[in-house]
Amino acid sequence: MADKSVYVIGITGGTGCGKSKIVDKIVEKYPNDTTVLCMDNYYKEHHDISLEERAKLNYDTPDAIDMGLYIKHVIKLKNWLPVESPIYDFKVHDRLEETKTVQPNKILICEGLFALCDESLLEELDAKIYVQVDADERILRRLRRDVEERGRTVDSVITQYLETVKPMHERYIAPSKTNANLLIPQGGFNKVAVNIIIDHIKPLIEQGVESVNLGDFEEYEDVQLLYEMSEKYRQFYEYDHKEEK
């Protein structure tokens, strides 16, 4: 099959914004037709240094991701070829030896912090979604997740947030929302936006990707509001940074 038979959705947003929650809702609705390629598993391996040294590395920059391998796997999945995804263990800050087989499907979701940062990856995406949530809410979500799921201490999470997460978000992730064609406020709790995405995907599932010409969500009235919000942000962001210069 040609790569047009796969519809690729990029979903990004700052840490703790709820992008995984949105992905989970899509997969829950279309479990047999959706594949997720999680960028978190593509952090570079660091087998050659100690755990203490690995803990000090900056994981909030695009350079921390093996983007070349990630894009290679996206292209293979678009051409209906399975890939062996790495598995990353956040508790030891390193990849595991084993891999996970990821099968291709009609819908491919590329989910991760830097999904809209890389020009080569952007070229592979059909839809680009940015999840917008206030910073104070995001840090609280991250704090709970890292302590409960990743074995981190509260102090280590706060230190990392102040030293790398926040400044890297402002440098790389926040500006990448200007590449999005859909901006979702309130994250995974925005039922209207989630339902819009689900409705957008429905004809792709039922009729096949090659037979449907969807454009960029324009057929939905509710999305016009989200588009206006996106455009207002672009204007604000460009003006704000022009003033800084």
Side-chain angles (χ1 to χ4, degrees), residues 44-201:
K44 295 175 181 176
E45 62 182 23
H46 296 287
H47 301 328
D48 56 335
I49 61 177
S50 68
L51 174 59
E52 186 178 58
E53 292 175 297
R54 293 197 297 270
K56 296 178 182 178
L57 296 176
N58 182 359
Y59 294 97
D60 295 284
T61 168
D63 290 339
I65 299 291
D66 190 344
M67 194 63 74
L69 179 62
Y70 188 83
I71 295 173
K72 178 181 178 180
H73 284 182
V74 170
I75 293 172
K76 290 186 70 173
L77 289 167
K78 288 179 67 174
N79 286 278
W80 286 85
L81 296 171
V83 301
E84 290 299 318
S85 167
I87 300 175
Y88 193 84
D89 187 340
F90 285 91
K91 293 182 179 180
V92 298
H93 305 289
D94 207 357
R95 287 187 193 176
L96 303 181
E97 294 295 337
E98 61 264 33
T99 60
K100 174 185 177 182
T101 302
V102 178
Q103 298 291 345
N105 227 320
K106 292 179 182 178
I107 306 299
L108 172 60
I109 299 177
C110 298
E111 183 257 326
L113 288 174
F114 310 109
L116 301 186
C117 290
D118 186 274
E119 290 294 333
S120 297
L121 180 57
L122 287 170
E123 292 177 1
E124 304 297 335
L125 305 178
D126 298 299
K128 308 172 189 71
I129 299 171
Y130 189 96
V131 184
Q132 173 72 42
V133 174
D134 290 342
D136 54 354
E137 185 175 350
R138 290 190 292 101
I139 179 55
L140 290 175
R141 291 180 183 177
R142 179 177 178 126
L143 184 62
R144 173 179 291 179
R145 181 201 66 191
D146 284 5
V147 171
E148 294 181 356
E149 300 177 14
R150 298 179 178 178
R152 303 279 302 282
T153 65
V154 172
D155 286 345
S156 72
V157 176
I158 293 175
T159 297
Q160 184 183 27
Y161 180 80
L162 294 175
E163 292 183 353
T164 61
V165 176
K166 185 176 185 292
M168 294 301 101
H169 173 86
E170 294 170 350
R171 180 181 298 180
Y172 297 111
I173 302 168
S176 77
K177 73 175 69 176
T178 60
N179 294 320
N181 48 32
L182 183 61
L183 177 64
I184 298 180
Q186 302 172 20
F189 295 99
N190 189 330
K191 294 182 179 179
V192 172
V194 172
N195 287 334
I196 286 171
I197 299 171
I198 288 174
D199 288 345
H200 185 75
I201 292 173

